[in-house]
Amino acid sequence: MTRETNADQVVIAGAGLAGLAAAATAATAATALMAIVALTGCKGVNPAAEPSASAPTSPAVSPSRAATPSPAVVRTPSGSALTGFGATSIQWKAAHTLDVSVPARNAYLPRVAGSADGEDTWQLVTMAGGRITSYKLNVAPSSLSSAEARARQELPADARLLWTRTVADTCAQEQFESAALAAVLGDGQVNVEFDNAVSGNATPVTEELFSTDNAPTVAQAPAC
């Protein structure tokens, strides 16, 4: 009888201890929950409502900093930049030497060999729209064929002859057309007049006059 009573007491005591442990666990959980609520309350933000971090995006490029293409350098079909007729001031000056003794600053050395007047090779060089559009090329007395060959050195490699004519005892003319010149001048035609500055005849040639006269046919040729 005594043993049974003691066993019951042990069971009851065990149950009491288990209850106390459960109560202690519940109290601990409640305390932890209150601590979390207190912390989140200080921040004023519900953790569950925190927005998720968005993926980083690339910064927008300011229009002022956007890459812009460099201006292209106009070149002839052969790949070389213009240095004669149709060239820019910079291109021209890079290939010619200014004669500073000429007040107008429109003549370029060297002087023509054998010239009694000591004329510069290039005279009356004129620009329009930032491009060389007319000048006089002085040469030593030469045949028309030699003068024509010299004139081609002033033009792009793609220049093609449209027509040629000779006005008796006055001058000779040739009309050229160039796609490279058309690209920079808007009109690719060039008129070259050959004459003798002393006699006024067509030969021997001592000067070549370059201009932008537009004359697709010989019937439209400018007067000498």
Side-chain angles (χ1 to χ4, degrees), residues 24-126:
T25 301
T28 301
T31 301
L33 179 60
M34 291 176 64
I36 293 173
V37 171
L39 290 173
T40 56
C42 292
K43 295 171 64 176
V45 179
N46 184 353
E50 288 286 346
S52 59
S54 58
T57 58
S58 300
V61 179
S62 172
S64 61
R65 298 179 60 185
T68 55
S70 302
V73 176
V74 178
R75 297 181 178 274
T76 65
S78 64
S80 58
L82 294 172
T83 57
F85 195 88
T88 64
S89 176
I90 293 176
Q91 291 171 331
W92 177 273
K93 290 179 180 178
H96 300 79
T97 302
L98 179 68
D99 185 350
V100 295
S101 68
V102 178
R105 296 294 192 272
N106 62 357
Y108 293 81
L109 301 166
R111 292 187 170 86
V112 178
S115 172
D117 299 330
E119 293 179 314
D120 288 309
T121 299
W122 295 271
Q123 291 182 319
L124 305 177
V125 178
T126 304

Side-chain angles (χ1 to χ4, degrees), residues 92-168:
W92 177 273
K93 290 179 180 178
H96 300 79
T97 302
L98 179 68
D99 185 350
V100 295
S101 68
V102 178
R105 296 294 192 272
N106 62 357
Y108 293 81
L109 301 166
R111 292 187 170 86
V112 178
S115 172
D117 299 330
E119 293 179 314
D120 288 309
T121 299
W122 295 271
Q123 291 182 319
L124 305 177
V125 178
T126 304
M127 293 186 65
R131 296 275 175 175
I132 305 298
T133 56
S134 69
Y135 54 87
K136 180 173 72 169
L137 173 68
N138 295 308
V139 297
S142 58
S143 65
L144 181 57
S145 60
S146 295
E148 290 171 342
R150 178 64 184 84
R152 282 187 172 274
Q153 296 177 28
E154 300 291 308
L155 304 176
D158 72 334
R160 64 186 185 90
L161 182 65
L162 295 180
W163 52 261
T164 181
R165 73 164 185 160
T166 298
V167 179

Side-chain angles (χ1 to χ4, degrees), residues 200-218:
N201 295 328
T203 57
V205 177
T206 62
E207 63 181 14
E208 306 178 14
L209 309 177
F210 291 76
S211 68
T212 55
D213 283 321
N214 190 315
T217 65
V218 68

